[in-house]
Amino acid sequence: MINKLAIITISALLLGGCTLGDVFKTGDAAKDEKSMAVATSTPAPVRQDQELEVIPSVSTGSDTSSLEADINNTKVLEEDFSDIK
C-alpha cells in the first residue's frame, strides 16, 4: 500500500511539473526580480489649445433640433503630428 502511494506521489510530481525543490524554497521572489524601470525625461508642459477652447459645448437635449445644432457646431480641428518621433 505504501509503495502504491509513493508511486502515485512521485508520478503526480513529475507529471505536474512540480519539483521538491520548489516546496522548500524560501520567498526570495523580490530578490530574484530585475528592475525594469527606465529613466525617462519629463515631457514638456502641455499648452492650452485656443481653438479647442472656442468650440461651444454640446447640448444635453436629445430632440432633433438639438442634435442638428450640435452637428452643425462641430468643428474638426487640424492636428499637428510634426513632433512625433
Side-chain angles (χ1 to χ4, degrees):
M1 182 70 168
I2 293 178
N3 289 338
K4 289 181 183 179
L5 287 175
I7 291 172
I8 291 173
T9 304
I10 292 172
S11 299
L13 287 174
L14 292 176
L15 293 175
C18 182
T19 61
L20 290 177
D22 291 340
V23 174
F24 301 110
K25 201 174 207 183
T26 59
D28 293 337
K31 295 177 185 175
D32 296 341
E33 187 176 303
K34 286 186 178 180
S35 174
M36 298 301 288
V38 178
T40 59
S41 63
T42 305
V46 178
R47 57 185 169 86
Q48 294 294 328
D49 191 353
Q50 297 302 323
E51 291 180 33
L52 188 60
E53 298 295 327
V54 175
I55 295 176
S57 61
V58 295
S59 64
T60 57
S62 61
D63 58 311
T64 306
S65 61
S66 297
L67 295 174
E68 286 179 5
D70 289 341
I71 291 171
N72 291 334
N73 289 335
T74 301
K75 294 180 184 176
V76 178
L77 302 175
E78 292 295 324
E79 296 187 36
D80 181 20
F81 297 107
S82 62
D83 61 342
I84 296 178
K85 294 179 183 177

